[in-house]
Amino acid sequence: MVQVILEYAVVVLLAAAVSVPALVLWARLAPDPDQAAHRVLRGAGGQAIFLFDGEDLVDCTPPARRIMNDMAAGGSDLGRLLRGQARRFPGLPDPEALLAGQVERAFRGAAPDQDMRLSFDLWDGFVRITLNHAGDVDDALDDGDETAHRRHADELATLRDITDGAPVLLWQTGPTGEVDWANETYLALVEAQGEQDRMTWPPAILFPEIHETPPAAGRTRRVSLETGETGETGETGPARNFDVQCRERAGRRNYFALPADGIVRAEATQREFVQTLTKTFAQLSIGLAIFDQDRRMALFNPALLDMMRLPVDFLSARPTLQTFLDRLREEKLIAEPKNYKAWRRQLVTLEAQAQDGSYCETWSLPGGVTFRVTGRPHPGGAIAFLFEDISAEMSLTHRFRAEIELGHATLDAIDEAVLVVNGAGMVTLSNRAYREMWQNDPDASLLVSRLSDVAEIWRRHGGDRPTWDALVDSAQRRSGPAGWSGQITTDDGRRIACRTQRIAGGSTLIGFSSFGSAQQAGKQRQGVAAR
C-alpha cells in the first residue's frame, strides 16, 4: 500500500515538472496583439503608420509622428488625425464609427492627392492606420531633409496662428458640401450659437443660404445671423451681419465672412440722416435743387415744384443743369435775355460761381415776381441752388422806401428847421431848412453825427451858452417834462426860437424857427418860395 502511494506521488511530481515549463513556454509563444502591432511598426520602414488604443495614440512611425505634430490641437488623438485628413480623403468616418468597424477599410485621396491611400486595420480594440502612396512607400514623408520639413512645419504653424487669430470667419467645404476646415473664429461662433461643441466634426453650417447660392467670384453678399442672445428685458439681441465672399478652388469652396455690424449701423444712420434732411427740405419754403458732379439733378423739394410750376416727371427724370434752366426760360421764369447765345455762355460763369459759393442774384420776373437765387457748393463736387421768393419782401421794401421818401419830402417842405436824435443821442433825421440854417448836413458824413457834435456847431454861431446847455439837456433827458422852449440870439443878429419835444421810440425832435427884422423875415419867405 505504501509502495502504491509512493509511485503515485512520483507520477504527480513528474507531471508537474513537465507541465510548468510547458505553461511558461505557451505563455511566451501566445500571440500578444499589442506586441504584434509594435513589431509591425518596427518593420514599416518609411511609411506613416499610426497605432491607436481606442482613440489614444500609443505608437507611430517617425513620418506619422511628424504628421501628428502638424495636426490642430483639440479632441482625441484619433479625432485630430481624422479631421486633419478629411480634406485630403473625403468621406472619412468619425472615431465612433471607425472603432465600431462600420466603415470601409481603405480610402483614396481626392485631387490633387489622388495618388495617396489611407487604410484601416482593427483587431482587439487596436486601430492601425496606414498613410502612403498607392502601390509604394511614402518616401516623401521621410526624405531625410529634416531642415526642409522644419521649415514647412514652421510655415504651417504660422499660417495656423494667422487664420485662427484672424477677426474674420474662414471655412472650406468639400465636394459633399460639408465643412472640412474652419478657423478658430468660425468654430468659436458655432459654439457660441449653441449648434455644437467645437470638438465635434464636421462643424455646423452657419450660413445655409450662402452654401445654397454662393456669391459670384469677386462679389460680396451680406447675410444676417441671429445670435439668440437675450437681454435683461428678455428681448432677443440684434442680429450679427457679415459680408461673405466665396472662391472655388480644386473642387472646394473657400468662404470669407467679414463682420459688417459697423457698416450696417453706419448705413442705418445715413438713411435716418437722409430721411431727416428729406423731411426738413420738404418743410422748407425755399426751393432747393441739387445737381451732382455730372450736373444732373440729384434732389429737389416740393417748394421748387410750387414755385417753378414744373411737372414732377420732368424733375424726376434728372435733367441736366442747362436743360433745367432752358425749361425755366420756356416757362418765363427767367428774364428773357437780349442775346440768347451770350446768356448760354453766362451759364458757365454761373456754374463756376456756384462751385465756389459766390453766386447770388435777384431774378425780377414779369408780374411782380422776384426770386433770390443762390448757388452753393455741395459735397462730392455737386452744387446746390436755392430759389427764394422775395416778392413780398421786395414789395414791402419798395413801400417803405416810398414812405420814407414821402416823409423826407414833407419835412423838407416845412419852414421850421427840424433835427431828430434817438435815445442814444445819434442824429437820425434832418430837413432842408435845418441844413440851410446851420450850414450843416448830418447825412453827408460817413460817420454818424452825435447831438454833442451838432451842439458845438450851434454854439459857434454865438448866443447865450446856458440856453444852449438847457436845450441839449432837454434833448437828452428821458424823464420829466416832455418838451422845452427858449430863444437864442446869434452873433449875426438872428433871433431863433428853439424847442424840444419827445416823440415815439424814445427819440426827440429839436425845432428852430428864425424870427427877426421884417427884412430878414422877407428874405426867408423869398427863399422858401424859391424852393
Side-chain angles (χ1 to χ4, degrees):
M1 186 63 176
V2 175
Q3 184 178 0
V4 174
I5 293 174
L6 290 174
E7 291 176 357
Y8 180 75
V10 171
V11 173
V12 172
L13 290 173
L14 290 174
V18 173
S19 61
V20 171
L23 291 174
V24 174
L25 180 61
W26 179 83
R28 290 181 178 177
L29 297 178
D32 182 359
D34 192 1
Q35 295 296 329
H38 282 280
R39 283 197 298 273
V40 171
L41 292 179
R42 284 193 293 270
Q47 299 184 79
I49 300 179
F50 309 82
L51 181 63
F52 294 90
D53 184 0
E55 295 192 27
D56 299 326
L57 181 66
V58 296
D59 202 357
C60 62
T61 60
R65 175 61 61 186
R66 290 197 293 268
I67 293 176
M68 286 300 298
N69 291 338
D70 291 339
M71 294 297 102
S76 64
D77 296 334
L78 182 58
R80 290 171 53 208
L81 178 62
L82 295 178
R83 286 200 306 270
Q85 298 300 320
R87 181 183 62 83
R88 179 180 290 180
F89 300 97
L92 284 182
D94 55 32
E96 291 78 7
L98 176 59
L99 294 175
Q102 303 172 354
V103 298
E104 299 180 8
R105 293 305 179 93
F107 290 83
R108 185 172 295 276
D113 300 313
Q114 59 265 34
D115 59 340
M116 298 297 294
R117 184 167 59 86
L118 188 146
S119 59
F120 301 100
D121 293 308
L122 293 85
W123 72 93
D124 294 336
F126 287 91
V127 180
R128 184 178 69 179
I129 300 178
T130 304
L131 175 65
N132 58 14
H133 282 276
D136 196 3
V137 296
D138 188 5
D139 296 333
L141 297 175
D142 190 18
D143 57 3
D145 190 356
E146 293 296 334
T147 302
H149 176 76
R150 284 195 299 270
R151 185 170 62 251
H152 295 159
D154 292 342
E155 182 180 1
L156 178 61
T158 301
L159 293 176
R160 181 174 293 135
D161 290 340
I162 293 174
T163 56
D164 286 343
V168 300
L169 307 182
L170 306 174
W171 72 99
Q172 176 180 271
T173 58
T176 61
E178 293 184 342
V179 177
D180 58 16
W181 179 86
N183 70 340
E184 184 65 21
T185 308
Y186 183 94
L187 298 177
L189 184 57
V190 169
E191 187 173 33
Q193 289 293 102
E195 298 287 345
Q196 63 185 41
D197 185 84
R198 71 175 65 189
M199 294 302 135
T200 304
W201 204 264
I205 296 176
L206 292 176
F207 309 105
E209 65 275 23
I210 290 293
H211 287 228
E212 293 176 1
T213 56
R219 304 296 297 272
T220 300
R221 181 177 172 187
R222 180 164 298 168
V223 294
S224 298
L225 181 66
E226 298 293 337
T227 60
E229 300 175 355
T230 55
E232 297 179 357
T233 60
E235 298 180 356
T236 303
R240 296 189 60 182
N241 300 277
F242 296 90
D243 287 337
V244 183
Q245 294 184 8
C246 177
R247 186 187 67 175
E248 294 194 15
R249 182 182 63 86
R252 286 176 166 77
R253 288 174 178 170
N254 297 326
Y255 293 90
F256 312 86
L258 283 72
D261 291 336
I263 299 176
V264 171
R265 287 194 296 269
E267 291 175 348
T269 302
Q270 183 183 27
R271 285 194 300 270
E272 293 175 359
F273 180 69
V274 171
Q275 291 175 359
T276 302
L277 287 181
T278 303
K279 293 178 181 178
T280 303
F281 293 155
Q283 300 299 324
L284 287 177
S285 59
I286 299 176
L288 175 66
I290 297 179
F291 295 85
D292 59 21
Q293 59 184 358
D294 297 327
R295 298 301 175 260
R296 301 191 70 87
M297 180 166 286
L299 180 66
F300 63 91
N301 67 339
L304 185 68
L305 295 172
D306 298 337
M307 295 172 59
M308 302 302 181
R309 302 187 300 276
L310 297 176
V312 178
D313 55 353
F314 170 71
L315 297 178
S316 300
R318 302 187 63 211
T320 63
L321 176 59
Q322 289 194 355
T323 303
F324 174 73
L325 294 175
D326 286 342
R327 184 63 179 266
L328 293 183
R329 176 176 172 270
E330 294 175 3
E331 299 291 337
K332 300 186 182 303
L333 295 173
I334 293 180
E336 184 69 24
K338 295 181 181 179
N339 188 334
Y340 184 70
K341 292 183 178 180
W343 180 80
R344 287 297 297 265
R345 287 195 298 269
Q346 289 178 358
L347 293 182
V348 178
T349 304
L350 178 150
E351 181 178 340
Q353 291 176 342
Q355 284 180 334
D356 59 23
S358 62
Y359 179 77
C360 183
E361 284 189 359
T362 300
W363 293 357
S364 297
L365 308 179
V369 178
T370 305
F371 290 152
R372 179 187 292 125
V373 184
T374 307
R376 290 289 182 267
H378 202 66
I383 55 176
F385 286 96
L386 305 176
F387 298 86
E388 184 178 2
D389 188 350
I390 59 172
S391 302
E393 178 183 341
M394 294 299 293
S395 175
L396 185 63
T397 301
H398 292 158
R399 187 171 69 251
F400 282 169
R401 183 178 294 119
E403 291 179 357
I404 291 174
E405 291 176 353
L406 178 61
H408 277 285
T410 302
L411 286 177
D412 288 342
I414 297 175
D415 291 338
E416 183 183 22
V418 174
L419 181 76
V420 178
V421 295
N422 60 18
M426 303 295 183
V427 177
T428 59
L429 190 63
S430 65
N431 67 347
R432 182 182 303 171
Y434 173 86
R435 293 189 292 272
E436 291 178 350
M437 175 180 287
W438 300 107
Q439 297 300 306
N440 170 248
D441 185 0
D443 298 332
S445 175
L446 296 177
L447 300 177
V448 179
S449 298
R450 295 176 177 272
L451 176 61
S452 57
D453 299 330
V454 296
E456 288 300 322
I457 296 175
W458 304 336
R459 291 188 179 100
R460 284 201 295 267
H461 287 78
D464 186 21
R465 190 174 186 88
T467 304
W468 288 123
D469 293 342
L471 186 151
V472 173
D473 180 68
S474 174
Q476 292 177 337
R477 191 167 52 241
R478 299 291 168 262
S479 61
W484 173 90
S485 63
Q487 293 182 6
I488 289 290
T489 301
T490 63
D491 291 344
D492 58 2
R494 289 181 300 169
R495 297 175 62 189
I496 300 175
C498 310
R499 71 183 182 92
T500 64
Q501 180 179 349
R502 284 200 295 272
I503 57 179
S507 297
T508 301
L509 181 146
I510 304 174
F512 301 95
S513 299
S514 197
F515 66 97
S517 63
Q519 183 180 2
Q520 291 175 337
K523 291 182 179 180
Q524 184 177 8
R525 284 194 296 269
Q526 290 177 3
V528 171
R531 292 198 297 270

